[in-house]
Amino acid sequence: MEITFVGAAREVTGSCHLLHVNGKTVALDCGMFQGRRSESAEKNKALPVPIAELDAVVLSHAHIDHSGRLPFLVAQGYSRTIWATAATRDLSAVMLADSAHIQEKDAEFLARKKKLFVEPLYGMRHATRTMELMVGVPYNKPFDIVPGVQGTYVDAGHILGSASVILDCTEGSVTRRLIFSGDVGRSGLSIIRDPVPPTGADAVIVESTYGNRDHESVDGARARLAEVIRATAARGGRVLIPAFAVGRTQELIYSLHSLVKEGVIPSIPIYVDSPLAIDATTVFQMHPETFDQSEDLVRRVKELFDFPLVRFTRDVEESKAISMAKGPMVIIAASGMVEAGRILHHLAQGASDPRNTILIVGFQAEHTLGRRIVEKTPMLKVFGEEVPLRAQVEVINGYSAHADRNELTAWLDAVKAESPRLGPVWLVHGEPEVQDTYRTTLVAKGYSVSCPEPYARVSF
Ligand SMILES: [Zn+2]
Ligand SMILES: [Zn+2]
């Protein structure tokens, strides 16, 4: 039994690992690489394995860095099953359609620039076909992936529908249990449930995004959010929040709702300027069974994302009208790493105004515009134009949907405590320096850890 680490190996994006058992190959995720444009474009075009050799795909959750290349597999001829949880399936339907739209627009833009035909990575029909292949299964219920590999999803507590995957692999008389963590969430996020560490593992593939840092608490994040909004509104500025349309945006709306209820932020309009976030919010409303029922507002699901100050803008004209409007306001728009989406035109308008605040609430990968904002690069490039960065930049990492160092270690410790045969632990989904630091921490605790390079092949 072997694993080939294809993507999210020594980096955060492009999650994809191949499991080889009994002569069959199963892909765990097939996500998009993000970051430096030309570099990631090349990586995104490389098939992880010849299509004829790929027998099944198991998806951990709907984020594009895990799911975004599924329609590319389909465009290249893949026509077998893609497994997912039921909520991941519904979220993927809106996210992959959005991604296809972005791919088509990108290709059009490049074609205009280069004055020659550019084939998009995939189109809408491939996203639609992908959804036909995707089978939704419940948590905690085993499903047969290929002969000799049985899967079971458990809650990863990261975004709606997110899962860690238990893979029971049998070759001849040998059975091994491989755990793929997916993205591990946090305890205490308001809408979704806490992560459930799997047990009985022989080997673990675990993410390590924040293996070198601790987050502030979710309550601390909420208090800082209120502070940033009050200060910005007092200057007459706007708070621009680039956020993942799925997960982060709903957590933010939830926090803002409770802050408005408590009367601790001024009554200024809150725009959720993202059709994708609107669709994703609808999917959230379809899956109350995955919510954390211990939360006060969650018990009243109907009003969870809906209160007098919040406005959801779907069409482009409305979105443009917001950038022209005067006065303080909060604008939440995708994309989370500021690589695409409507947040770009809000930044083109607003980044140079010192009254405004750009509030970063999520992980920003290397070489993304979001990362350059965090690093306070004086001149930003938006739509090919130079825009001076004069707005305040604030970072709140308490909204992260990823476990921090302590939470990750607690997750692993819980796995280990119930896994007497635990062998190798492979770190994925992390930047090299972070992984190296975290590896040292884990080795000191007695784990056998390595950080595989892209295309490294290991047996277990
Ligand atoms: Zn994720
Ligand atoms: Zn991820």
Side-chain angles (χ1 to χ4, degrees), residues 12-13 15 29 61 63 65-66 158 182-183 207 209 244 402 429:
V12 173
T13 64
S15 178
D29 290 345
H61 65 291
H63 274 151
D65 63 314
H66 296 256
H158 168 65
D183 284 358
E207 68 121 322
T209 320
F244 275 130
H402 282 276
H429 203 288

Side-chain angles (χ1 to χ4, degrees), residues 242-257:
F244 275 130
V246 176
R248 202 68 38 89
T249 293
Q250 288 75 21
E251 291 284 340
L252 282 168
I253 301 172
Y254 183 96
S255 267
L256 289 164
H257 188 178

Side-chain angles (χ1 to χ4, degrees), residues 8 13 15 20 23 91 96 151 184 195-197 216 266 332 334-335 346 355 359 376-377 407-408 422 425:
T13 64
S15 178
H20 314 279
L91 271 183
L96 294 180
V184 181
V196 178
E216 60 196 321
I332 304 172
S335 73
H346 294 299
R355 292 174 301 175
L359 175 59
K376 301 192 181 161
T377 313
E407 290 162 329
L408 263 185
L422 182 64
V425 173

Side-chain angles (χ1 to χ4, degrees), residues 146-325:
V146 291
V149 183
Q150 192 177 61
T152 309
Y153 284 122
V154 295
D155 207 322
H158 168 65
I159 61 162
L160 187 82
S162 67
S164 301
V165 197
I166 299 171
L167 296 143
D168 289 313
C169 309
T170 308
E171 261 182 12
S173 58
V174 184
T175 295
R176 296 243 190 284
R177 174 168 282 194
L178 171 69
I179 306 291
F180 172 44
S181 72
D183 284 358
V184 181
R186 308 179 62 195
S187 343
L189 280 181
S190 12
I191 303 169
I192 52 171
R193 283 192 293 256
D194 294 351
V196 178
T199 57
D202 292 288
V204 179
I205 304 172
V206 61
E207 68 121 322
S208 52
T209 320
Y210 285 111
N212 66 340
R213 309 208 207 158
D214 302 323
H215 297 324
E216 60 196 321
S217 69
V218 177
D219 284 344
R222 218 174 62 99
R224 294 245 342 263
L225 174 67
E227 225 170 81
V228 168
I229 293 174
R230 280 197 301 264
T232 311
R235 292 195 298 269
R238 42 184 74 183
V239 182
L240 306 174
I241 314 180
F244 275 130
V246 176
R248 202 68 38 89
T249 293
Q250 288 75 21
E251 291 284 340
L252 282 168
I253 301 172
Y254 183 96
S255 267
L256 289 164
H257 188 178
S258 63
L259 292 171
V260 167
K261 265 196 146 86
E262 290 160 24
V264 292
I265 53 172
S267 296
I268 59 173
I270 297 164
Y271 293 100
V272 180
D273 187 20
S274 158
L276 178 58
I278 299 170
D279 292 340
T281 306
T282 310
V283 177
F284 267 70
Q285 286 162 332
M286 278 159 56
H287 287 280
E289 81 281 1
T290 64
F291 290 2
D292 183 347
Q293 295 299 331
S294 65
E295 290 278 333
D296 171 50
L297 270 176
V298 165
R299 278 188 242 116
R300 291 170 280 155
V301 172
K302 276 212 160 43
E303 50 184 291
L304 195 55
F305 303 111
D306 202 8
F307 53 101
L309 291 174
V310 75
R311 268 160 241 182
F312 292 87
T313 49
R314 191 178 277 280
D315 71 65
V316 183
E317 290 315 309
E318 245 180 305
S319 169
K320 284 183 185 150
I322 304 169
S323 354
M324 296 303 161

